[in-house]
Amino acid sequence: MAERRRWSEEYPRWFDWVLEAAGVYDWSHYPVKGMGVWLPYGYKIRRLVTELIRRLLDETGHEEILLPLLIPEHLMKREAEHIKGFEAEVYWVTRGGLHELDVKLALRPTSETVVTYMESFWLKSYKQLPAKYYQIVSIFRYETKATRPLIRLREVTTFKEAHTAHADFEDTERQVLEAIDVYKRFFDELGIPYIISRRPEWDKFAGAVYTIAFDTVMPDGKALQIGTVHNLGQNFTRAFDVKIQLPDETLDYIWQTSYGLSDRVIAAIISIHGDDRGLVLPPIVAPIQVVIVPIPAKSEEDERKLRDYIEGVAKELREKGIRVHVDWRQGVTPGYKFYDWELKGVPVRLEIGPRDVRNGTVVVARRDTLEKRTVKREEASETVLRLLDDISRSLRERAWRWFRSYVNRAETVEEARRILSEKRGIVEVPWCGREECGRKLEELTDAKVLGSPLQPPEWVRGARCPVCGAPAVTSLRLAKRY
Ligand code: 5CA
Ligand code: ZN
């Protein structure tokens, strides 16, 4: 077991520690770099996260499909920009058993090429559009930057990719906004703060017309891209010659978008809400929302009464739809159990002992603030329900307050550089809009560009580009990035 680490002082190592100590993810043992194992408790968190995104996508008319993992070389290479961007990251299968394959097969790094190819068989008329598909699968990328658990994987196991098809450009623009809205609701439910930027031309998805990204800030002040939405225009459908019949009976290439999330979302939940004691899970993705820790009784009769009392409370909570676990483990002290469930981030703990049975009470402790109080037995389930709501809200608010303190403005290169090296986080500067100046800013601040807000912000009016001195047309966001 890795040594215990403090969230507040040594975040990257805290993250490795907590994944293992809380039983989320085993990163250290599997003998292939960039690939880890989801452990039982982590898998349950993962399942709740995927259930949430499934619900949001299903509600907005997306349909789940499942595409093959292997992509033949001629499909993978059809769209020139796409393969140029992914070339260095693709794993290839070249043998089948004892035979050299005639056609090399790529392990999908993403599925635009497969979807577009299949759409040529499925979609014939504008009447079938928009078509909105998604899948939640593993993808493989031979990442060359240092791999990190859940953050930079070579097998991304929780890749949620959506692919949509449209009759015209306007409809893709509408779809991009819908996708942004779905992702906002997703991150809001999880209490993960974000900033939405249009990535600069030199950092868009390979094959896209433009890319919109969601970034958050991790506890060490580095920005993490946690979701992306791409307008693909007709780039893929031209390359694959996928045309559709329009209302006026003419033919045109289909218009597309795609958008994705990954295991990084789970890394963000864990990192942003956690503390020195371990995980602090938002109730919506907590496998156990309430744990009941019995305080042992001295006599057998008291023990029996305690058991009935606790099972009664647990049953009532379960009937309200709450995920409850009673920790009846023998041979470990209540203190040890407290420690254990705090490490696992269970939002609410009830402590119930013989004294509570006599007094008709329960002790309620919340994981986020560690506050504890005694309430009447009859008020237990109402109190817990209110508390779960309160924890969700206060985790979200706390995370946003913290995040906002990491988004700062600078007027000069020197100031931007100072903030980025001392405090990190995200720095916004006025920008003339020229790539040359954007790249110069990256170089001078030793940071990476996140892009610009979707609308030019008010505050840049009258300001000047800190590199060339020309009037600013928008702002540019910079950060040290994962
Ligand atoms: N086909 C599009 C949309 S699904 C696509 O692949 N977009 S992407 O390349 O930007 O990936 C989507 C998201 O996956 C990214 O925003 C990022 O949050 C996450 N991601 C990308 N690479 C990795 C990786 N190696 N490990 C973990 N997450 C990753
Ligand atoms: Zn400039």
Side-chain angles (χ1 to χ4, degrees):
M1 176 78 65
E3 191 189 330
R4 189 183 185 102
R5 300 288 180 173
R6 292 170 74 82
W7 181 90
S8 43
E9 282 155 27
E10 36 183 357
Y11 160 71
R13 281 193 279 178
W14 173 90
F15 187 61
D16 294 347
W17 165 75
V18 86
L19 288 179
E20 197 180 320
V24 174
Y25 194 73
D26 184 335
W27 175 248
S28 53
H29 298 109
Y30 195 67
V32 179
K33 190 173 141 78
M35 301 181 190
V37 178
W38 283 102
L39 299 169
Y41 190 66
Y43 194 86
K44 292 185 183 105
I45 300 172
R46 177 184 181 274
R47 190 156 78 189
L48 290 162
V49 172
T50 56
E51 276 171 15
L52 173 61
I53 190 63
R54 274 199 173 90
R55 171 162 69 73
L56 293 172
L57 289 170
D58 292 349
E59 276 171 12
T60 44
H62 295 75
E63 293 180 298
E64 190 165 6
I65 57 172
L66 189 52
L67 301 162
L69 167 61
L70 297 175
I71 309 178
E73 184 174 19
H74 54 276
L75 293 194
M76 192 62 227
K77 293 196 164 165
R78 191 86 65 96
E79 209 287 325
E81 290 298 318
H82 187 65
I83 190 61
K84 217 163 79 196
F86 276 105
E87 207 154 42
E89 293 185 11
V90 177
Y91 283 91
W92 290 101
V93 177
T94 58
R95 293 180 71 86
L98 302 177
H99 304 281
E100 214 50 53
L101 296 178
D102 294 336
V103 179
K104 280 206 291 180
L105 302 169
L107 294 184
R108 68 173 156 236
T110 173
S111 303
E112 277 74 7
T113 56
V114 182
V115 170
T116 308
Y117 179 73
M118 294 312 294
E119 282 174 351
S120 73
F121 303 101
W122 299 340
L123 303 176
K124 300 289 176 197
S125 156
Y126 74 94
K127 291 175 195 157
Q128 294 168 276
L129 303 182
K132 305 195 271 185
Y133 309 112
Y134 74 96
Q135 63 174 356
I136 304 180
V137 293
S138 275
I139 57 145
F140 295 82
R141 292 184 184 176
Y142 186 74
E143 294 278 358
T144 45
K145 278 201 193 172
T147 56
R148 290 283 294 138
L150 306 185
I151 290 172
R152 180 162 283 103
L153 299 165
R154 285 185 172 174
E155 179 184 2
V156 183
T157 66
T158 317
F159 196 66
K160 193 289 302 160
E161 46 175 325
H163 299 275
T164 70
H166 307 267
D168 51 39
F169 179 70
E170 287 67 46
D171 208 45
T172 58
E173 292 277 85
R174 187 201 49 71
Q175 191 58 41
V176 164
L177 295 179
E178 180 183 283
I180 291 173
D181 189 57
V182 168
Y183 283 6
K184 276 184 175 174
R185 282 192 282 146
F186 177 65
F187 292 124
D188 287 344
E189 294 259 20
L190 298 168
I192 299 178
Y194 48 80
I195 193 164
I196 301 170
S197 308
R198 187 177 170 127
R199 287 277 187 263
E201 277 299 302
W202 65 93
D203 191 30
K204 63 187 187 186
F205 179 71
V209 176
Y210 65 82
T211 291
I212 309 279
F214 284 68
D215 293 286
T216 194
V217 173
M218 296 299 252
D220 56 1
K222 281 163 79 174
L224 180 69
Q225 170 179 302
I226 47 172
T228 26
V229 181
H230 315 289
N231 192 324
L232 304 174
Q234 295 174 310
N235 290 349
F236 285 87
T237 55
R238 276 181 200 278
F240 283 80
D241 196 28
V242 183
K243 285 183 180 161
I244 202 153
Q245 192 167 44
L246 296 176
D248 64 6
E249 313 236 309
T250 60
L251 293 177
D252 191 16
Y253 299 107
I254 292 177
W255 299 79
Q256 295 173 309
T257 79
S258 72
Y259 31 104
L261 305 166
S262 80
D263 307 62
R264 279 186 189 181
V265 171
I266 303 169
I269 298 170
I270 289 172
S271 303
I272 288 168
H273 298 309
D275 66 16
D276 287 356
R277 296 183 189 218
L279 301 179
V280 180
L281 293 175
I284 191 168
V285 293
I288 298 170
Q289 293 170 313
V290 177
V291 65
I292 305 182
V293 177
I295 313 296
K298 297 230 160 54
S299 75
E300 234 165 74
E301 194 196 330
D302 280 354
E303 187 68 29
R304 210 176 40 247
K305 281 192 195 147
L306 178 66
R307 202 165 271 271
D308 289 348
Y309 189 85
I310 286 179
E311 290 302 347
V313 174
K315 179 160 175 280
E316 194 181 304
L317 292 173
R318 286 194 187 107
E319 280 166 5
K320 304 259 176 197
I322 299 169
R323 294 187 284 272
V324 184
H325 174 70
V326 186
D327 186 354
W328 287 117
R329 274 181 296 176
Q330 298 293 317
V332 281
T333 63
Y336 176 88
K337 293 178 183 178
F338 295 173
Y339 168 90
D340 204 28
W341 296 116
E342 276 175 4
L343 171 58
K344 284 187 140 68
V346 175
V348 175
R349 178 178 78 226
L350 301 184
E351 304 165 13
I352 306 179
R355 188 150 41 111
D356 297 294
V357 177
R358 280 196 299 281
N359 299 345
T361 55
V362 302
V363 175
V364 186
R366 57 189 286 179
R367 174 65 183 86
D368 60 342
T369 59
L370 304 169
E371 282 161 346
K372 229 160 105 153
R373 66 196 163 102
T374 304
V375 303
K376 292 214 185 70
R377 162 71 182 85
E378 311 82 75
E379 290 163 10
S381 46
E382 275 315 304
T383 305
V384 166
L385 279 173
R386 244 182 296 122
L387 202 51
L388 289 172
D389 265 359
D390 202 38
I391 291 171
S392 310
R393 192 176 36 238
S394 89
L395 284 179
R396 181 167 56 239
E397 286 170 5
R398 185 172 76 177
W400 271 102
R401 266 200 306 281
W402 182 88
F403 177 78
R404 286 200 187 95
S405 77
Y406 275 93
V407 181
N408 293 288
R409 285 179 197 159
E411 302 269 331
T412 65
V413 173
E414 194 37 54
E415 199 185 347
R417 203 165 59 137
R418 188 181 50 75
I419 300 172
L420 286 165
S421 68
E422 284 171 15
K423 175 170 174 132
R424 295 195 172 173
I426 296 168
V427 173
E428 291 193 90
V429 298
W431 184 39
C432 64
R434 286 174 25 211
E435 173 164 346
E436 198 188 323
C437 290
R439 287 187 183 270
K440 193 85 197 160
L441 275 163
E442 287 188 324
E443 198 186 301
L444 295 172
T445 58
D446 191 26
K448 289 273 171 220
V449 153
L450 299 179
S452 300
L454 305 193
Q455 306 294 336
E458 280 293 317
W459 69 272
V460 299
R461 208 178 283 168
R464 297 190 167 270
C465 173
V467 180
C468 70
V473 296
T474 184
S475 69
L476 192 66
R477 296 164 175 160
L478 294 144
K480 308 262 184 189
R481 283 173 69 177
Y482 270 93

